[in-house]
Amino acid sequence: MIKKINLKLIILSVLSLCAVAASGFGGYVLYHIIPSGFQSRHAEGPKVLTELLQMAEQSKPFNPDPYIASTYRPDNPLYQPVLEIQRHRWDIAEKLLKPLVEKGNADAMFWLGDITYGSGLYSAGPAAKLFQQSAESGNPYAALRLDIDNSDCQRFMSGYCNEKWGRLGRKILKQRAENGDVKAAYYLLKLDIDVYSDSAEVHQKLEQLVTENAKQHYYQPLMNLIGYYVRHGYYGPFLDKGSLVDEKDIKITNKILTLLVNNNYPLALSTVVIEGESVFPKKYVDKVMRQLEKIDVNYYSCLDYFFLKGEKNRSNIVNLASCAITSDKFLHRNYNLSSLRMDLENENLDALTEKELAKARRLSNERISQMTPVIYIDEMNPANL
């Protein structure tokens, strides 16, 4: 009799546990599948960005200030070292940053910590120390790099991650936001967004902050947002993620993209060149490519424009070689020119002659002398190490 009772109890317990598990799983599924107010607002598409659309329609190529969208201008002591970081020349950047760090420059501490992080087996301690010094000197982005929830911190600096740094980062961001820093306000909001439970009002606040940042020519938030619209990304409803994007939405995002392009934001210019004539008028793409050559060194945009989508004539090949030489010169390597030589061989095209190489080098020197490089990386969007 006792055995029978125990068996019944066991069966009832198992069934109860199964019911609880099924209920929990069902709740989890519903939580992710039923759109939140935030996701429903996002699903309305980029047409809600009315002020940005008006700004795009009023913009013209190109803003006469080449540095309008640059994180730093040439008169800022951080301009050259951060430009070298963007070009992946951390050896040069380190030499330029160390004197600034010794003078107590909190932002220089952040950038030196950024290139020290992950650079070697014993880099965690020195990088964490620099982030700590930067955070204590008032840089919120350095503090956030040491937050216990930061995946980069957990990856290489797990022994230095602590909740107190996350609290400090938020505190400084909040102070800056209250003083009118819309970049700080944007990232403070981003830290707390839960797309599965937030309201439509939170998305509207996001739209507002993206717009205010664009007015100040900080375009990374807008670049991210229009990317979410055309990819049905993280912000959209769960059931929409595999569906095709509406053509009207694509046209609107491309129109907004021209606002960034016309204000010399390199990532947007590269996007237009890659999309090419299938999306934008040929004359506009040609203008954009010429402008891109002035503000950024991007061999892959050149490859796309002069070789993959352009005619493979000798003039285009020399221009591409010039771009490869320029890029290799800044990166201190010979990779792109070697890659071009292999591409020519694979396409059964004649190799570059000495005369063509001489012309490409001359064009490269001319390009470098006329460049006004724009920095598009920043503390929340650093170069990939």
Side-chain angles (χ1 to χ4, degrees):
M1 184 68 178
I2 294 175
K3 288 183 179 179
K4 288 183 180 180
I5 292 173
N6 286 341
L7 182 60
K8 285 182 179 180
L9 287 172
I10 291 170
I11 292 172
L12 287 171
S13 298
V14 170
L15 289 174
S16 297
L17 288 171
C18 289
V20 170
S23 176
F25 179 73
Y28 175 84
V29 170
L30 290 175
Y31 176 75
H32 285 83
I33 288 181
I34 296 175
S36 65
F38 183 98
Q39 291 174 310
S40 296
R41 173 68 177 183
H42 190 78
E44 292 181 37
K47 66 177 183 289
V48 301
L49 306 176
T50 53
E51 190 171 2
L52 287 164
L53 271 167
Q54 290 173 359
M55 291 166 61
E57 288 167 357
Q58 294 168 3
S59 69
K60 296 178 181 179
F62 295 94
N63 194 309
D65 181 356
Y67 303 107
I68 193 69
S70 188
T71 305
Y72 302 105
R73 289 177 174 271
D75 59 354
N76 190 308
L78 286 169
Y79 175 82
Q80 196 59 42
V82 177
L83 180 61
E84 298 299 344
I85 293 173
Q86 184 170 284
R87 292 171 173 171
H88 298 272
R89 288 304 308 271
W90 301 301
D91 54 331
I92 299 176
E94 182 179 5
K95 293 176 184 176
L96 296 172
L97 287 169
K98 282 185 175 179
L100 298 176
V101 169
E102 290 170 2
K103 292 178 181 178
N105 187 311
D107 293 337
M109 293 172 194
F110 170 90
W111 286 110
L112 187 56
D114 186 57
I115 60 176
T116 303
Y117 161 83
S119 62
L121 185 61
Y122 301 105
S123 65
K129 184 178 179 181
L130 284 162
F131 285 136
Q132 287 172 358
Q133 290 175 334
S134 179
E136 289 166 351
S137 299
N139 188 310
Y141 307 106
L144 293 175
R145 288 291 289 269
L146 294 172
D147 188 9
I148 198 165
D149 292 330
N150 186 292
S151 59
D152 284 341
C153 189
Q154 292 293 345
R155 185 181 177 192
F156 286 122
M157 302 181 295
S158 57
Y160 301 90
C161 308
N162 195 295
E163 291 177 354
K164 71 176 184 178
W165 297 113
R167 290 194 297 269
L168 177 61
R170 286 170 180 272
K171 179 182 176 181
I172 301 172
L173 283 178
K174 188 172 184 294
Q175 290 171 346
R176 290 189 177 189
E178 289 172 349
N179 289 325
D181 186 334
V182 291
K183 176 181 175 181
Y186 169 77
Y187 286 113
L188 186 62
L189 178 68
K190 283 263 292 182
L191 287 173
D192 293 323
I193 285 178
D194 182 346
V195 300
Y196 297 109
S197 64
D198 279 340
S199 66
E201 287 73 25
V202 174
H203 198 286
Q204 289 170 327
K205 180 64 176 177
L206 179 72
E207 296 161 23
Q208 177 196 344
L209 288 172
V210 166
T211 302
E212 291 304 314
N213 274 282
K215 288 179 181 178
Q216 295 189 14
H217 303 289
Y218 178 53
Y219 293 116
Q220 187 63 51
L222 179 53
M223 194 77 183
N224 289 342
L225 184 57
I226 61 178
Y228 285 136
Y229 278 124
V230 298
R231 289 193 298 270
H232 278 326
Y234 178 57
Y235 285 171
F238 180 83
L239 295 177
D240 284 355
K241 291 184 179 179
S243 62
L244 295 174
V245 179
D246 191 292
E247 285 294 325
K248 291 180 181 178
D249 287 349
I250 294 175
K251 287 182 180 179
I252 293 172
T253 55
N254 285 335
K255 182 62 182 177
I256 294 174
L257 186 68
T258 62
L259 171 66
L260 289 69
V261 172
N262 294 343
N263 283 287
N264 303 317
Y265 185 59
L267 298 181
L269 275 82
S270 296
T271 301
V272 168
V273 171
I274 291 170
E275 293 292 340
E277 298 170 33
S278 62
V279 177
F280 298 94
K282 183 181 185 305
K283 287 185 178 180
Y284 186 66
V285 176
D286 292 341
K287 283 183 180 179
V288 169
M289 185 63 215
R290 288 193 294 270
Q291 186 70 1
L292 182 59
E293 289 179 314
K294 296 176 185 177
I295 64 174
D296 189 31
V297 180
N298 190 325
Y299 173 72
Y300 294 103
S301 293
C302 292
L303 179 66
D304 212 79
Y305 180 80
F306 289 115
F307 197 76
L308 299 180
K309 292 177 181 174
E311 294 181 20
K312 296 180 177 65
N313 55 46
R314 300 313 291 182
S315 176
N316 278 350
I317 290 170
V318 169
N319 274 309
L320 180 55
S322 169
C323 192
I325 291 167
T326 303
S327 179
D328 286 343
K329 189 174 294 186
F330 286 129
L331 297 174
H332 198 59
R333 62 184 185 184
N334 195 38
Y335 174 80
N336 291 319
L337 189 57
S338 298
S339 177
L340 172 57
R341 284 173 168 144
M342 286 189 288
D343 287 337
L344 293 175
E345 185 177 343
N346 292 337
E347 293 283 338
N348 294 316
L349 296 169
D350 292 339
L352 288 158
T353 65
E354 286 302 318
K355 186 177 180 180
E356 287 175 327
L357 279 171
K359 183 178 180 181
R361 292 189 184 98
R362 186 171 66 254
L363 289 172
S364 173
N365 289 333
E366 291 173 2
R367 176 182 284 115
I368 291 172
S369 69
Q370 297 170 5
M371 283 187 71
T372 52
V374 172
I375 298 173
Y376 53 83
I377 63 172
D378 63 29
E379 301 95 333
M380 293 298 280
N381 304 278
N384 292 323
L385 298 179

